Amino acid sequence: SDLQKQEERGELLQPLIFVLLVLCSILLYFKVSLMDPGFVKPEEEVKEGEDKGQGVVIPQIPGDVKLRRCGYCLVKQPMRAKHCQLCQHCVRRYDHHCPWLENCVGERNHPLFIVYLSVQLVVLLWGGHVAWSGLYFEQSREWLQHNIFLLVSFFLIFLFTIVVLLLLVSHLYLISCNTTTWEFMSHHRISYLRHSELENPFDQGIILNLWRFFC
């Protein structure tokens, strides 16, 4: 049959890979949006796992900066944690609350969020290539009527690709500096950064920062 001939010629491999990437993107979306981003547990549980959750203690942070108690959920906040009023929880290594995910991006799901953005970018670039390759340009009204769907699809894919690319690049830059979106945007309001002698006391070099984040 025609399907078997296409399979023998390898013409079904690329569509199959594309569909698998789309499914992987969907699964990652639900995984990141539904998982615990690193909610701070009640104070008696934080004491047990604080050393595991917080990682390396940075000596450059002033000793007079003490852990504060959250005024909303009344837990003692570990360093780099922040209360999210939308999630009604304090989140460890809080980065930001993503409206597309309806969830915070924090200590536990931040690496998966980067993987999701990367897969999404590949899907968008591939889809944009397919939409562009299907266009053949002619100056006629009939041509515009027959290709309006492809033109709109390519424009939307191009727009989403720019957004995802900028988001991915900005997050990779912040990760390489070992800082978060919240710390980057609110540096002057965060006590452990405002009172530190260094601009970024958590920075341990690009390679080590990336290694600690992803591994």
Side-chain angles (χ1 to χ4, degrees):
S1 65
D2 293 339
L3 190 61
Q4 289 177 336
K5 292 179 180 178
Q6 289 179 338
E7 184 179 0
E8 291 174 356
R9 293 195 298 265
E11 296 177 358
L12 297 180
L13 183 60
Q14 288 190 1
L16 179 61
I17 295 175
F18 181 77
V19 171
L20 290 176
L21 282 174
V22 172
L23 291 177
C24 180
S25 174
I26 294 173
L27 290 175
L28 283 170
Y29 172 83
F30 284 108
K31 176 67 175 177
V32 176
S33 62
L34 296 177
M35 74 181 294
D36 177 359
F39 294 135
V40 179
K41 297 178 181 180
E43 186 174 352
E44 62 272 14
E45 298 180 13
V46 171
K47 287 182 180 179
E48 290 184 4
E50 190 166 2
D51 292 335
K52 296 180 181 179
Q54 283 307 105
V56 179
V57 177
I58 308 299
Q60 290 86 351
I61 296 176
D64 56 349
V65 177
K66 299 180 180 180
L67 299 182
R68 63 184 295 272
R69 186 174 297 277
C70 177
Y72 296 96
C73 51
L74 302 179
V75 298
K76 189 171 288 185
Q77 287 183 336
M79 192 164 291
R80 310 191 79 178
K82 181 183 182 297
H83 182 86
C84 175
Q85 296 190 16
L86 295 174
C87 292
Q88 295 298 314
H89 285 285
C90 288
V91 180
R92 290 180 178 272
R93 202 180 184 278
Y94 175 87
D95 188 87
H96 71 286
H97 183 92
C98 181
W100 303 107
L101 298 173
E102 282 296 328
N103 194 15
C104 283
V105 175
E107 183 178 77
R108 293 190 61 191
N109 63 350
H110 200 173
L112 272 181
F113 178 71
I114 299 300
V115 176
Y116 164 70
L117 288 179
S118 302
V119 174
Q120 191 67 45
L121 181 61
V122 173
V123 170
L124 287 169
L125 289 173
W126 197 334
H129 172 71
V130 172
W132 180 261
S133 63
L135 289 172
Y136 60 94
F137 295 96
E138 294 180 5
Q139 294 182 352
S140 64
R141 182 175 299 178
E142 291 77 12
W143 176 87
L144 184 61
Q145 291 176 350
H146 286 93
N147 291 274
I148 186 67
F149 177 75
L150 278 177
L151 285 172
V152 172
S153 299
F154 179 77
F155 175 77
L156 291 176
I157 290 174
F158 176 78
L159 187 63
F160 286 126
T161 300
I162 296 298
V163 173
V164 172
L165 179 62
L166 291 176
L167 192 60
L168 179 60
V169 170
S170 64
H171 272 275
L172 288 176
Y173 169 75
L174 293 176
I175 291 167
S176 67
C177 299
N178 197 2
T179 188
T180 64
T181 303
W182 171 57
E183 290 172 341
F184 180 77
M185 300 294 292
S186 306
H187 187 280
H188 61 287
R189 293 190 295 153
I190 302 175
S191 58
Y192 59 82
L193 294 179
R194 189 173 67 246
H195 297 134
S196 175
E197 297 178 358
L198 301 177
E199 184 177 355
N200 181 11
F202 302 103
D203 188 6
Q204 296 179 309
I206 295 177
I207 296 178
L208 191 57
N209 291 338
L210 292 174
W211 175 264
R212 289 191 179 282
F213 180 83
F214 288 106
C215 305

